[in-house]
């Protein structure tokens, strides 16, 4: 198995800062191009129903402006489906979305929402868009994702990142179990949400995880060290953890 671990950079929060003043600075597309220059394997952007950060115009400009794959995070709604089918990003990560949440709070309920999700997975896949489902590290959710024919799952690792000590090692075990199960089902496994220099190592060390999507922490660190330095340090922690595991 290819042990290269891709780093996808989520540029949503560059748009959050831009939108705080309603103008066009800082530009998330410029940040995406910088991330690409600094070695990002992909760019992730979440077009939310309320357009609180990324806008429709940003998606259009990202499609034209970057040379690495775009992963469009989207809710399973007809509006987002139409946008995805129009722009045909490399990948679409289907996420749950609640209007009042600060960020994506949990994974999709693929078990309960299978019927609804199937239409979206099928329509996106028919246009060659690689679909991933953002789910909790849970065996039943993985089984349901595989049953729907989704090629990729992204595991929500926020509970691991937000917990401490014993609870954190319990969460890590849950992720490990899910990653092994995803592999046994033939699912490509990604992970994301809340990853930092401190939390990324143990996740990066899991050899069948193919991609990590990281946003808030990298954009925050970029304020202090620049995006390139923040990405290089993140990449270095990821690579060291992966190399130790596969040595
Ligand atoms: N993956 C998914 C599916 C997400 O919804 C998010 C947050 O938008 C991320 C990864 C990145 O999370 P963070 O910004 O906490 O690094």
């Amino acid at each position: 198995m290819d042990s290269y671990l891709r780093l996808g950079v989520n540029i949503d929060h560059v748009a959050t800062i831009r939108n705080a003043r309603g103008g066009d600075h800082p530009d998330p597309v410029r940040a995406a191009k910088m991330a690409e220059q600094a070695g990002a394997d992909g760019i992730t952007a979440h077009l939310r129903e309320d357009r609180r950060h990324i806008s429709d115009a940003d998606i259009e400009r990202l499609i034209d402006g970057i040379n690495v794959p775009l992963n469009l995070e989207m809710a399973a709604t007809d509006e987002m489906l139409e946008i995805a089918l129009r722009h045909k990003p490399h990948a679409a990560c289907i996420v749950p979305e609640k209007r009042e949440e600060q960020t994506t709070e949990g994974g999709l309920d693929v078990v309960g929402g299978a019927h609804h999700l199937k239409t979206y997975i099928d329509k996106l896949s028919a246009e060659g868009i690689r679909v991933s489902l953002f789910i909790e590290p849970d065996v039943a959710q993985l089984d349901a994702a595989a049953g729907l024919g989704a090629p990729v799952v992204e595991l929500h690792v926020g509970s691991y990142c937000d917990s401490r000590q014993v609870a954190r090692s319990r969460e890590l075990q849950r992720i490990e179990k899910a990653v092994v199960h995803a592999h046994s089902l033939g699912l490509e496994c990604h992970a994301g949400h809340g990853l930092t220099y401190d939390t990324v190592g143990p996740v990066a060390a899991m050899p069948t995880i193919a991609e990590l999507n990281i946003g808030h922490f990298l954009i925050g660190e970029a304020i202090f060290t620049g995006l390139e330095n923040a990405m290089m340090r993140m990449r270095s922690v990821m690579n060291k953890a992966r190399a130790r595991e596969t040595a």
Side-chain angles (χ1 to χ4, degrees):
M1 140 122 353
D2 180 7
S3 78
Y4 180 72
L5 177 58
R6 295 194 299 270
L7 171 61
V9 176
N10 179 317
I11 41 90
D12 290 350
H13 294 301
V14 179
T16 304
I17 299 172
R18 175 195 61 191
N19 296 355
R21 287 291 170 94
D24 54 17
H25 182 81
D27 178 11
V29 180
R30 182 176 167 200
K33 288 180 182 170
M34 283 184 78
E36 182 182 332
Q37 289 278 310
D41 298 294
I43 297 296
T44 293
H46 184 178
L47 185 68
R48 295 186 76 106
E49 183 200 24
D50 62 9
R51 310 301 199 267
R52 70 176 70 159
H53 36 56
I54 293 295
S55 69
D56 298 66
D58 292 332
I59 297 295
E60 211 164 308
R61 291 173 55 238
L62 282 167
I63 289 280
D64 292 339
I66 60 171
N67 297 304
V68 287
L70 176 67
N71 175 33
L72 174 68
E73 281 182 27
M74 54 174 270
T77 63
D78 288 347
E79 182 199 16
M80 289 303 149
L81 179 66
E82 186 275 314
I83 292 168
L85 295 179
R86 184 151 36 90
H87 291 299
K88 295 194 178 50
H90 167 80
C93 179
I94 305 183
V95 300
E97 207 175 285
K98 285 193 228 128
R99 225 171 259 184
E100 66 282 8
E101 71 191 354
Q102 273 188 327
T103 181
T104 316
E105 279 169 0
L108 280 171
D109 180 8
V110 187
V111 177
H115 181 68
H116 177 73
L117 289 169
K118 175 119 187 78
T119 317
Y120 292 89
I121 296 168
D122 289 350
K123 288 187 175 164
L124 291 163
S125 302
E127 290 302 317
I129 301 167
R130 197 159 164 79
V131 178
S132 72
L133 301 180
F134 189 49
I135 58 172
E136 293 296 318
D138 177 87
V139 165
Q141 296 295 341
L142 285 162
D143 289 340
L148 290 181
V152 183
V153 287
E154 179 167 329
L155 300 180
H156 190 311
V157 295
S159 301
Y160 152 72
C161 294
D162 291 344
S163 57
R164 296 283 173 272
Q165 298 169 341
V166 181
R168 181 175 278 184
S169 32
R170 218 175 24 238
E171 288 298 332
L172 197 59
Q173 281 168 14
R174 208 158 75 93
I175 297 167
E176 262 161 358
K177 189 173 158 200
V179 170
V180 169
H181 192 64
H183 188 57
S184 76
L185 293 170
L187 291 164
E188 182 173 312
C189 195
H190 301 176
H193 213 286
L195 290 166
T196 66
Y197 300 144
D198 290 337
T199 53
V200 78
V203 179
M206 297 179 199
T208 56
I209 293 189
E211 180 174 305
L212 299 180
N213 287 305
I214 310 181
H216 184 266
F217 181 81
L218 279 178
I219 301 305
E221 273 299 288
I223 294 168
F224 304 109
T225 66
L227 185 56
E228 185 176 357
N229 284 328
M231 280 178 55
M232 275 166 50
R233 183 159 163 204
M234 185 63 79
R235 176 78 85 181
S236 155
V237 182
M238 285 164 56
N239 288 353
K240 278 187 191 144
R242 180 57 63 99
R244 267 198 302 276
E245 189 56 33
T246 49

